[in-house]
Amino acid sequence: MPVAPYGSWESSVSPAIVTGAAVRHADSVEIDGDDVYWVESRPTEGGRSAIVRRASDGSIADAAQGDFNARSRVHEYGGGAWDVRDGVLVFSEFADNRLLLKRSPHGEIDELVTDPALRFADIEIDLERERAIAVLEDQTESAIEARNLLVAVSLADGSLRELA
């Protein structure tokens, strides 16, 4: 290694090397009964945001197995792309804006809404009424001038009802 004046040497350790494989915790932590859920941003998986569940027995696994990326593009910033209540998980898939539903920790993932022009954020599950409440950014008519609504999404069939 060549000698250089103090502070001017080139290091072989870059910030990318130091942080490149570090899993970052994003969003909030949700407590659901005895289970704990959180989101991990995973650089080694292209920055995918994976919802993770720690079960009451101490086991830790992705709550949505597969390559699901729980993020939202609402207002270009996203946020609140998932929620869990009594084992029911609702989340927004980043790649195509689908709103997805998993009815139990070990259940299958179903599609609620598949229109890519609809983006969902700030999701809150309301099991009493079998729905999720969310901010909807509707880009059906224009991606430049999207409509912003508060909607109820039926967990039974994915139908939307405008609330405000």
Side-chain angles (χ1 to χ4, degrees):
M1 181 177 282
V3 176
Y6 178 79
S8 65
W9 66 89
E10 288 197 31
S11 175
S12 60
V13 180
S14 69
I17 290 172
V18 173
T19 63
V23 170
R24 191 186 71 179
H25 296 277
D27 255 351
S28 61
V29 172
E30 293 284 337
I31 308 297
D32 186 45
D34 292 331
D35 297 343
V36 180
Y37 290 78
W38 65 90
V39 172
E40 292 180 357
S41 178
R42 297 179 175 166
T44 59
E45 298 176 28
R48 178 172 81 94
S49 294
I51 302 171
V52 180
R53 172 180 169 253
R54 182 186 187 279
S56 59
D57 65 5
S59 62
I60 298 174
D62 286 0
Q65 295 81 15
D67 294 333
F68 293 107
N69 190 359
R71 290 175 53 199
S72 171
R73 290 185 175 107
V74 169
H75 307 131
E76 303 310 322
Y77 297 103
W82 66 283
D83 192 31
V84 63
R85 291 285 179 275
D86 294 339
V88 175
L89 175 66
V90 175
F91 65 98
S92 176
E93 167 54 40
F94 186 68
D96 54 15
N97 299 328
R98 287 179 300 160
L99 191 64
L100 303 173
L101 167 69
K102 188 173 181 184
R103 291 200 170 270
S104 71
H106 303 291
E108 297 295 316
I109 294 174
D110 296 317
E111 296 177 332
L112 280 176
V113 181
T114 60
D115 186 337
L118 303 178
R119 297 176 174 181
F120 297 89
D122 299 316
I123 298 165
E124 293 290 330
I125 296 172
D126 176 7
L127 289 178
E128 256 183 50
R129 294 173 184 86
E130 186 67 12
R131 66 184 185 174
I133 306 296
V135 171
L136 168 65
E137 182 179 271
D138 182 350
Q139 296 186 353
T140 305
E141 294 181 25
S142 169
I144 296 169
E145 292 295 326
R147 284 184 68 217
N148 295 291
L149 311 163
L150 185 64
V151 296
V153 182
S154 167
L155 298 182
D157 62 12
S159 61
L160 302 175
R161 194 176 106 223
E162 183 177 331
L163 300 176

